[in-house]
Structures are given as C-alpha cells and as structure tokens.
Amino acid sequence: LIHIALDAMGGDHAPAVVVEGGVLAVQQLGVRVSLVGPEDVIRRELARFPSANLDLVSVVHAPDVVGMAESPAVAFRQKKASSIHVGLKLVKDKLADGFVSAGNTGAVMMASTLILGRMEGVERPAIASLIPTKTDRPVLVLDMGSSVDCKAEHLAQFALMGHTFAKTVLKQESPRVGLLNIGEEPEKGNEVVKEAFELITQLPIHFVGNVEGKDILDGVADVVVCDGFVGNALLKFGEGVSSTIFGFFKHQAKSGSLRSKLGLLLLKPALMEFKKKYDYEEYGGAPLLGVNGISIIAHGRSSAIAIKNAIRLAKNEATARISIPVSTEMPSL
Amino acid sequence: LIHIALDAMGGDHAPAVVVEGGVLAVQQLGVRVSLVGPEDVIRRELARFPSANLDLVSVVHAPDVVGMAESPAVAFRQKKASSIHVGLKLVKDKLADGFVSAGNTGAVMMASTLILGRMEGVERPAIASLIPTKTDRPVLVLDMGSSVDCKAEHLAQFALMGHTFAKTVLKQESPRVGLLNIGEEPEKGNEVVKEAFELITQLPIHFVGNVEGKDILDGVADVVVCDGFVGNALLKFGEGVSSTIFGFFKHQAKSGSLRSKLGLLLLKPALMEFKKKYDYEEYGGAPLLGVNGISIIAHGRSSAIAIKNAIRLAKNEATARISIPVSTEMPSL
C-alpha cells in the first residue's frame, strides 16, 4: 500500500479542508495517509468524520507551523518540528512514499531539496505544473518558479526530468519535449535559450524544438521547458487573463441585462464542463522534480478535492518509481 | 498637420487592408498619410476608393518588399529600397512625423534602431504594448520582444521610457510604474530583477514596486517593465488562454447543444462588448520606445481599423513630442 505524508497545516484552508482531502484520499484511492501537524488540532478535525473508516489514517505529531509568508530559510533553520520538516523526514527515512503540501511553496521547495537531497546529476530541482490542453493530454511545464536564474545546462536537465516524468508517471510513450521560446526558428530567443536548444538537441529524447506561449494550450508538446521566472510569470498572467474573462461572466450574471442573465443560465452546463476540464483541482499539485523522493506542491487555495488529487499524483509517482529502475530517471548530459 | 508614413506592404493582409486603413485614417483622424511601397501596386489599391477625397494621401515609391519571415539583418543590408527602409528614412529626414508598419517585426525594429538611431542614454529600444485592463486605463507593458537579454540598467531605462510615454502621450498625471516579478516582496525574483528594483527605486518616477502577472490586467500599474523574452512569452501565453476560452464558445456555437447555442445567442451583445474592450484593434500598434523618432509596430494580422488606430497612436505621439521639451523624455540614471 502506498503511504503519503500530508502536511495538515499547509494551505489557505488548512487544517479543515486538508484533513478532509486526506480522508477522501483514503476512502477513494486506496492509499494510507499520515496527517502531519499538531496532534490535538488534527484529532479535532478528524472527529468531524465519525462514521468514516479511518484505519488507514494516522497522525504524526509536528507542533510547529510554517506561515504562508514566512521566510523559507528562517523556517528551515528554526522550525525543525514543523509539519513540512517532519513530513519530509518521513519520506527521507523511507517511512512514507511521498509528501504533499499546500503550504508555503518556498519553504516546501527548500526543505525538500535540503532534506531529500538532489538527484545525482541534477543541479536545480524544478516545479513541474500539469496544465490541461485542448487535447486529452495535459502539458507538463517546468520550471514554475523553483529556479529563477537558469543556465542552459539547467534547462537541458529540466528537459530530461520532464521527459522522464511524462514517460514513467504519465505513461506517455514518447513524450514530445519543447523549449519555450519567442519564435519557432532555432536562432530565436535569448542567449541561454539558444544554448539550451543546442544541448537539448543532443539528448536521447523526442525534442520538438521551440514552442511559443500561444501554442502551449494547443498541446503541441507534452513537456515544455523554461526558466522558473518565465514559467511563473507566464502562468500567473494566464490566470489573470482567465480570471478577467470569467470575471466578466460573473459580472454579467449579477448585473448584466436580463437577456445576458438568461443566456448565461442556458450556457451554464457547458461552462461547468469547460471549468471542469481546465480546473487546477484536476491535477491537484505540481511535483518537485530532481530531488531524491516524492514531493508534491499543491495550490495554496486547494480544496479537499484538489488535495485528494495531489495525493493521487503522489501515489502515481510512487507507483512508477517502484516499477522503473532508478538509473533511467536521470541520464547524464 | 501630422504626417504619417505607412508601410503599405507590411502585414498578413497587405497591401489591400493596409491601404484601406490609411484611407480611413485620412478620413477620420485629420492626418496626412504617405503610403510607402511599389507605386503601381498602391495606385491599384487606391483605385478601389474612387469617391474618397484623397488629397491628403500620397504615394512614396519603394519597390522592395521585406517578407514576414525574412532575416532582419539580411533585409536591412540588401533591401535599401524596401517600404520599411524608405518609410523610416522619411521620418529620419523629417519629411514625415512617424512611421507605422504591420510588417516583419524584427525588420522594423532593426531598421528603426539603425536608421533613426537610439535616444541619448538609451542602450536598448523597447516595444511597448498597450493592453486593456479591467479599469478604464490601459497598461503599457515593455519590453515585448525587442531586447531579450536585459541587464538591470536596461529594465531601469524601460521604466523611464514607459513613464515618459504614459505621461506625455497617454496623458496620465503620475503614471504608476511596476516591475514584473514572481512575488510582491522586494527580495523576490532573479538577480537582474532584484538589481533593477534597486535602480528603479532611485528614479524620479512613481514606482509601485513588484507586480505579479496575475495582477497586470487588474490595472495595479500603468506601466509594467520586463525583459523582452518574458514579456513576449507572457503576452503570447495570454493570447493562448484567451483563444482557448473563446475557441470553446465558438465550438459550442457550432456543435454544442441547442441549449448552449441559444444561450450564446442571448449572450452575444455582452460578448461583443467584452471583445471590443479587449480587442487588440483598439490600440492598433505598439510604439518602439528609445529611438529618435516615432515608429509604431502594428500586429501582423491587422485589420483596416487596427491600422487606422495605429496611425492614431502615431499621431498622438507626434503631437506629444511637439509639445514637450525633448530633454524631459529621457532623464539620465
């Protein structure tokens, strides 16, 4: 049975919603979940599920809590008994197969890297986000903010890590790996990206060349590689565009003409279907790739379903890691 | 009378749509327009408007045409008689007040920089895009792809150039200038951006600090500064998100349920209003800032109305440059 350590104190709606997500995971995914955090707080939350079979839920006491805005370095030094620290130690000590947290992203990244250690050959871990596309396959975009000053070698390593994740965890036969650029021609881009293009060409992966931002959601590649600054800025701008458009609909539903209100009412089932397809909840979290162990970073505003899906992702990753030889995970450059 | 040189051969729908845009500008904006390109081709297009008063339209012969995918450097060396080259020479020689082109962006950038020259103190010109926001003021984002390997000094110069454009051309009293970053705290970001933060803090402008991608469309700043690689990638991803959402509606209108089709029909006026507000046509083009003269880069797929609006932007810029002392345009660092 796969066993996931869950940071019960991480996220905007912790601990209530996170504990609920953990219970859902146990009920629906056939995993064992350890809720990590202050024991009394977690027990109180668990008491809300008296009729649930909680045989597969355990509580691991961790009295410290890392705030969402706290400095990752300070938290790491001063809060060795935090839910993040204790949860990752469980993975490090092979007492759990993976860690999931919707808490302070920087703190989870730093603690994951320092406690689990980097995989051999990896200089920089990367946060890999799964984003739904127009096709029936999601695209894995990395890095999303873990490494914000990338050299070409780092981008090439991201290409390998993304390739391996798509192949082993997402079960994609020959994942198409693209390099985010501002034009399709190989000579486009900044110095780092041009150099990365040359490096990635030499890797034993299916490299489809440069990919432009406007084509990512068309599904032209299964993996898209970029610097963490670019990836983070891009994703957040995309969120802004999406929220602007749907904000307009919300406004129309509330203050629009009768005609618009009626139109929206009729369109509702289709809109719900669209939102479901593109919902961040669908994948629940972003794996931190390049560390020795499984660490999934969930969205700060995660719902219980998002937490459950992040646990499912951790489970899939754990299952894949068991079934593949470790040596294929990170070919050397 | 403001006089604009228009690249009649630039853009996906040139020359027909571009010439039409030039005619619209003359009729509606009270400007003089010189159509630059092969004389016989342009005369043929102009013959489609027999009843229009074309006293303010002239034709400037330029036999060479730069293709949309041609190398900017090769085009600059080998096609001195192109519509881009000849049009910019008119501005350089003060025979026209500004140049507008929907042609090969790289070629227009390079020719603008080499023919017009950089403003004193400016190391890198920047393409500044005007993007509609939720408020009634657009946001000016620069750079959008002209400079893809920026140092902190370049970003600081963009801040000044954007400030000056917003103040003088957009008539914003004290434009709020923000730095694109992946978090709001000053210590966030990559090395270049952290250093730029310090430099911009020292400038005599209204610096509002870091701005995240998700907040740009909320109108939290009037000017947002970023490296050209980031700006271009971000904008294109935003286009991809928007086209994914509206593509869904198009699909529903065609192949959705009867209920969805009816809903969309009712929603149509509201949707048209939304599209109008956020349409790229509204501003027509992006000024290239930091060169000695006015050069507006219009979208490759520009419609006649977009061309007309790009000419309006050139006119506004020309009017502003006439009324302000040149020395205030580029304070030194």
Side-chain angles (χ1 to χ4, degrees):
Chain A
L1 213 59
I2 299 289
H3 170 207
I4 305 301
L6 176 62
D7 173 8
M9 307 309 287
D12 301 341
H13 312 304
V17 162
V18 177
V19 169
E20 190 188 337
V23 171
L24 283 178
V26 164
Q27 291 171 332
Q28 299 175 15
L29 305 176
V31 294
R32 196 153 81 77
V33 169
S34 284
L35 296 165
V36 187
E39 182 157 10
D40 53 336
V41 174
I42 296 175
R43 296 265 174 229
R44 210 152 46 226
E45 292 297 337
L46 280 174
R48 293 190 296 129
F49 307 94
S51 61
N53 180 348
L54 300 180
D55 288 354
L56 293 173
V57 175
S58 33
V59 177
V60 175
H61 184 57
D64 293 347
V65 175
V66 177
M68 293 300 266
E70 220 169 304
S71 152
V74 173
F76 186 79
R77 272 199 312 276
Q78 299 180 351
K79 295 189 173 170
K80 304 279 184 198
S82 74
S83 51
I84 293 173
H85 212 106
V86 171
L88 283 162
K89 279 285 282 177
L90 290 175
V91 178
K92 166 75 178 171
D93 296 341
K94 310 230 181 284
L95 296 170
D97 298 301
F99 177 66
V100 170
S101 175
N104 183 321
T105 301
V108 176
M109 270 179 344
M110 177 175 270
S112 297
T113 308
L114 294 175
I115 293 171
L116 302 177
R118 290 192 301 264
M119 288 170 77
E120 212 184 312
V122 173
E123 283 177 54
R124 303 276 186 94
I127 299 175
S129 250
L130 277 161
I131 301 174
T133 68
K134 287 175 191 165
T135 73
D136 53 2
R137 289 160 80 140
V139 57
L140 187 77
V141 183
L142 73 166
D143 174 44
M144 281 311 208
S146 171
S147 305
V148 297
D149 279 297
C150 288
K151 292 182 190 156
E153 293 75 32
H154 303 142
L155 296 180
Q157 289 178 351
F158 295 170
L160 277 172
M161 297 194 290
H163 160 86
T164 305
F165 187 88
K167 189 165 174 152
T168 58
V169 181
L170 306 179
K171 309 290 183 203
Q172 294 173 350
E173 191 58 47
S174 174
R176 298 159 302 156
V177 179
L179 178 63
L180 181 72
N181 206 331
I182 61 171
E184 286 180 12
E185 307 82 0
E187 70 274 13
K188 287 273 178 170
N190 58 26
E191 292 308 319
V192 169
V193 166
K194 280 189 253 184
E195 202 185 326
F197 189 98
E198 297 305 320
L199 291 176
I200 299 174
T201 303
Q202 297 161 40
L203 297 175
I205 61 174
H206 183 188
F207 180 44
V208 296
N210 290 326
V211 167
E212 288 195 78
K214 66 181 163 54
D215 301 323
I216 294 177
L217 297 182
D218 290 341
V220 296
D222 302 306
V223 176
V224 172
V225 166
C226 59
D227 173 279
F229 188 91
V230 176
N232 195 291
L234 180 134
L235 191 75
K236 284 181 179 163
F237 185 67
E239 281 177 22
V241 170
S242 165
S243 103
T244 299
I245 298 175
F246 287 108
F248 168 80
F249 289 122
K250 275 187 198 139
H251 178 79
Q252 288 292 325
K254 221 176 119 188
S255 322
S257 65
L258 192 63
R259 177 182 171 152
S260 291
K261 282 179 183 169
L262 187 57
L264 274 172
L265 202 67
L266 291 170
L267 206 55
K268 201 166 182 186
L271 278 173
M272 294 301 284
E273 196 189 307
F274 180 85
K275 286 209 105 168
K276 187 170 183 304
K277 177 168 164 64
Y278 288 98
D279 201 337
Y280 80 98
E281 281 186 346
E282 182 62 20
Y283 298 106
L288 183 67
L289 301 183
V291 292
N292 283 315
I294 294 164
S295 178
I296 305 278
I297 297 171
H299 209 295
R301 61 164 196 263
S302 285
S303 65
I305 289 171
I307 294 287
K308 182 201 73 181
N309 288 339
I311 292 172
R312 187 181 57 196
L313 189 62
K315 179 198 172 189
N316 292 346
E317 199 175 344
T319 311
R321 288 208 182 200
I322 289 166
S323 62
I324 55 162
V326 173
S327 63
T328 65
E329 285 192 32
M330 193 62 210
S332 61
L333 277 175
Chain B
L1 211 60
I2 299 290
H3 171 207
I4 304 300
L6 176 61
D7 174 7
M9 306 309 288
D12 301 341
H13 311 305
V17 161
V18 177
V19 169
E20 191 188 335
V23 170
L24 283 177
V26 163
Q27 289 172 333
Q28 299 174 15
L29 305 175
V31 293
R32 198 151 81 78
V33 169
S34 284
L35 296 164
V36 187
E39 182 158 10
D40 54 336
V41 173
I42 297 175
R43 295 270 173 225
R44 211 151 48 225
E45 292 298 336
L46 279 174
R48 292 190 298 128
F49 307 94
S51 60
N53 181 349
L54 300 179
D55 287 354
L56 293 173
V57 175
S58 32
V59 177
V60 175
H61 184 56
D64 293 349
V65 175
V66 176
M68 293 301 266
E70 223 168 304
S71 151
V74 172
F76 186 79
R77 271 198 313 275
Q78 299 180 349
K79 294 188 172 171
K80 304 280 184 198
S82 74
S83 51
I84 292 173
H85 212 105
V86 171
L88 284 162
K89 278 286 282 179
L90 290 175
V91 176
K92 167 75 177 172
D93 297 340
K94 310 231 181 285
L95 296 170
D97 298 301
F99 177 66
V100 170
S101 175
N104 183 320
T105 301
V108 175
M109 270 179 345
M110 176 175 271
S112 298
T113 308
L114 293 175
I115 293 172
L116 303 177
R118 291 191 302 264
M119 287 170 78
E120 212 183 312
V122 174
E123 282 177 55
R124 303 275 187 97
I127 299 175
S129 251
L130 277 161
I131 300 174
T133 68
K134 287 176 190 163
T135 73
D136 53 2
R137 287 160 80 141
V139 56
L140 187 77
V141 183
L142 73 167
D143 172 43
M144 282 310 210
S146 171
S147 304
V148 296
D149 278 297
C150 288
K151 293 182 189 155
E153 293 76 29
H154 303 142
L155 295 180
Q157 289 178 351
F158 295 170
L160 277 173
M161 296 194 290
H163 160 87
T164 306
F165 187 88
K167 189 162 174 155
T168 57
V169 181
L170 306 179
K171 310 288 182 204
Q172 293 172 350
E173 190 60 47
S174 175
R176 298 158 302 156
V177 178
L179 178 63
L180 181 72
N181 207 333
I182 60 173
E184 285 179 13
E185 306 82 0
E187 71 275 12
K188 286 273 178 171
N190 57 27
E191 292 308 318
V192 168
V193 166
K194 281 188 250 184
E195 201 186 326
F197 190 98
E198 296 306 320
L199 290 177
I200 299 175
T201 303
Q202 297 162 40
L203 296 175
I205 60 175
H206 183 188
F207 181 43
V208 295
N210 290 327
V211 167
E212 287 195 79
K214 66 180 163 54
D215 301 323
I216 294 178
L217 297 183
D218 291 341
V220 296
D222 301 307
V223 175
V224 173
V225 166
C226 60
D227 173 279
F229 188 91
V230 177
N232 195 290
L234 178 134
L235 190 74
K236 284 182 178 162
F237 185 67
E239 281 178 23
V241 171
S242 163
S243 103
T244 300
I245 299 174
F246 286 108
F248 168 80
F249 288 123
K250 273 187 199 139
H251 177 79
Q252 288 294 325
K254 222 177 119 189
S255 322
S257 67
L258 193 62
R259 178 181 170 154
S260 292
K261 283 178 184 170
L262 187 58
L264 275 172
L265 202 66
L266 291 170
L267 207 55
K268 201 165 180 185
L271 278 173
M272 294 301 285
E273 196 190 306
F274 179 84
K275 286 209 103 167
K276 189 170 182 305
K277 177 169 163 63
Y278 287 97
D279 201 334
Y280 80 98
E281 281 187 344
E282 182 62 20
Y283 299 106
L288 182 68
L289 301 183
V291 292
N292 283 315
I294 293 163
S295 178
I296 305 279
I297 296 171
H299 209 294
R301 62 165 195 262
S302 286
S303 64
I305 289 169
I307 294 288
K308 182 200 74 183
N309 288 339
I311 293 173
R312 187 181 58 197
L313 189 61
K315 178 196 171 189
N316 292 347
E317 198 177 343
T319 311
R321 288 207 182 200
I322 289 165
S323 63
I324 55 160
V326 173
S327 64
T328 64
E329 288 192 30
M330 193 62 214
S332 61
L333 277 173

